[in-house]
Amino acid sequence: MEDQQKKFIIALIAYAVQRDISPETLCKLSNITISDLQDPDTNLTSKQVGDVWINAVHLSKDKLFGLHFGESLQLSAIGIVGDIIKSSNTVGDAITIAASFTHLVTSAFKLEVSLNTDNFIIRFIPETGDCHNNPAARQILDLLMVFVIHELDGLMLKKITPNAVTYGCPISDIDEYARVMRAVPILDAPQNMITFDKKYWDEPIITANYELQKVLLEKISSLKKPLHETQPLQNRILSFLFENSYLGLISLEDIAANFNISPRTLQRKLKNEGINFQQLADEARKALAITYLKSGSHPVKEVSYMLGYNELSAFSRTFKRWTGITPVTFQKSNIAV
């Protein structure tokens, strides 16, 4: 399986070459080699990845390197993740899947997607603290935000203009950001986010291919977010359940195989942490149920099926135990808001 982050860094270096930067110099300054990028057994450290960004900015003399790289980047540059996005049925599907796979490309940010009555919002949330004082993270933020806007064009064959672009970070050249983002950024905002008109959410994607996407999802399912082994096993399992929710209900056996241990050993380790797999699965189901119902994109019966309930009545009883109200009531009240 290809390393998505390496593929992304290779794309960055290729763009740097277009800007007349020597790839050898960029790699040397960042303490990596071309062989490192080609060797499947060699992993890049977060410092190496950050140094590639910082040195690319320095060598290009372009403080907006990430913004301009994002403007030129193609989905093919992120490998199988890009293929999965292109094979989605609708823009909403593509954005949701892209958000779930962001961690395979960068550990600096996670994407959160929300849908309401008039629009949908993509939030770019730092995973490594405040990006104000992290030059590499700032470049990655610019890249991700512009990449989302420009790649929607290719998926629908129409030029998309966001309703709003907001930044929590300062901006040095607001005119250039406005040109690339197609909207004058709102500064000093609580979050970095892009708002689009809801009419785009259900727009069909011209390259949609459900059967191909199923194959690609199965292929990529073995990839997981890097997590520190010092984290409790229950936290790592919960993260895996959330990140792979698009695959449907995941069994104890599947989880154990992913962590390269037997189901019995997994159960024993969780017991030592004072919890069991069923409790974790229940917690994941609750969080996913609330997310799906709030989005308003799925009827209650479909949410019930997605979470592995054979009977709608069973899901309704469980949801009422979690929240005190039925899923129908919950969804109606949130959509109204």
Side-chain angles (χ1 to χ4, degrees), residues 208-312:
N209 187 333
Y210 179 69
E211 291 303 319
L212 171 61
Q213 188 179 73
K214 279 207 310 183
V215 172
L216 294 172
L217 286 172
E218 289 172 1
K219 183 178 179 182
I220 205 172
S221 63
S222 61
L223 292 177
K224 58 182 182 296
K225 184 177 182 179
L227 289 162
H228 297 297
E229 290 299 320
T230 53
Q231 286 189 326
L233 179 61
Q234 60 181 287
N235 290 359
R236 288 184 280 150
I237 289 175
L238 267 179
S239 294
F240 184 83
L241 288 170
F242 291 139
E243 290 159 11
N244 294 276
S245 59
Y246 58 88
L247 296 173
L249 189 64
I250 301 174
S251 69
L252 169 65
E253 289 72 23
D254 290 335
I255 290 287
N258 177 77
F259 287 96
N260 297 314
I261 57 178
S262 70
R264 180 176 294 181
T265 300
L266 184 144
Q267 290 174 312
R268 177 175 53 79
K269 287 178 177 288
L270 288 177
K271 184 177 180 181
N272 290 340
E273 294 181 8
I275 199 168
N276 59 49
F277 179 74
Q278 188 55 51
Q279 289 171 303
L280 289 176
D282 201 47
E283 184 176 340
R285 279 196 187 99
K286 176 183 176 181
L288 290 169
I290 289 173
T291 299
Y292 293 148
L293 292 170
K294 275 187 175 180
S295 75
S297 301
H298 309 280
V300 172
K301 188 173 183 180
E302 185 179 336
V303 173
S304 173
Y305 174 76
M306 290 163 64
L307 296 175
Y309 290 91
N310 294 323
E311 298 291 338
L312 177 58

Side-chain angles (χ1 to χ4, degrees), residues 97-146:
I97 285 178
S100 72
F101 283 138
T102 305
H103 64 273
L104 297 179
V105 178
T106 176
S107 59
F109 289 86
K110 67 177 180 179
L111 269 60
E112 286 188 357
V113 183
S114 59
L115 176 68
N116 57 40
T117 305
D118 300 316
N119 51 49
F120 65 94
I121 300 170
I122 306 170
R123 293 177 174 83
F124 303 77
I125 301 172
E127 292 274 57
T128 53
D130 189 353
C131 64
H132 287 62
N133 301 312
N134 186 330
R138 177 55 201 271
Q139 296 293 326
I140 294 170
L141 172 63
D142 286 345
L143 176 138
L144 290 174
M145 292 182 72
V146 68

Side-chain angles (χ1 to χ4, degrees), residues 87-100:
S87 61
S88 300
N89 288 326
T90 65
V91 167
D93 291 340
I95 291 293
T96 302
I97 285 178
S100 72

Side-chain angles (χ1 to χ4, degrees), residues 10-178:
I10 290 171
L12 189 161
I13 294 171
Y15 174 69
V17 170
Q18 295 177 32
R19 302 286 300 270
D20 297 322
I21 296 172
S22 161
E24 291 80 13
T25 301
L26 178 54
C27 287
K28 184 176 181 180
L29 289 173
S30 307
N31 196 32
I32 61 175
T33 66
I34 299 298
S35 297
D36 290 336
L37 297 172
Q38 296 172 327
D39 183 356
D41 296 322
T42 301
N43 295 318
L44 299 181
T45 66
S46 57
K47 184 179 188 308
Q48 286 174 313
V49 171
D51 285 348
V52 171
W53 278 102
I54 292 169
N55 290 317
V57 171
H58 172 70
L59 293 171
S60 67
K61 298 181 175 59
D62 181 6
K63 293 181 179 179
L64 306 183
F65 182 90
L67 190 78
H68 297 138
F69 177 31
E71 188 178 19
S72 71
L73 191 63
Q74 302 294 315
L75 275 171
S76 58
I78 52 177
I80 191 172
V81 174
D83 292 335
I84 292 171
I85 293 170
K86 286 188 292 186
S87 61
S88 300
N89 288 326
T90 65
V91 167
D93 291 340
I95 291 293
T96 302
I97 285 178
S100 72
F101 283 138
T102 305
H103 64 273
L104 297 179
V105 178
T106 176
S107 59
F109 289 86
K110 67 177 180 179
L111 269 60
E112 286 188 357
V113 183
S114 59
L115 176 68
N116 57 40
T117 305
D118 300 316
N119 51 49
F120 65 94
I121 300 170
I122 306 170
R123 293 177 174 83
F124 303 77
I125 301 172
E127 292 274 57
T128 53
D130 189 353
C131 64
H132 287 62
N133 301 312
N134 186 330
R138 177 55 201 271
Q139 296 293 326
I140 294 170
L141 172 63
D142 286 345
L143 176 138
L144 290 174
M145 292 182 72
V146 68
F147 184 53
V148 165
I149 295 171
H150 284 249
E151 275 313 308
L152 286 181
D153 296 353
L155 293 175
M156 293 187 289
L157 288 186
K158 60 176 70 173
K159 192 170 183 177
I160 303 302
T161 300
N163 287 354
V165 175
T166 66
Y167 267 91
C169 306
I171 286 177
S172 58
D173 187 344
I174 197 164
D175 290 338
E176 182 64 357
Y177 275 86

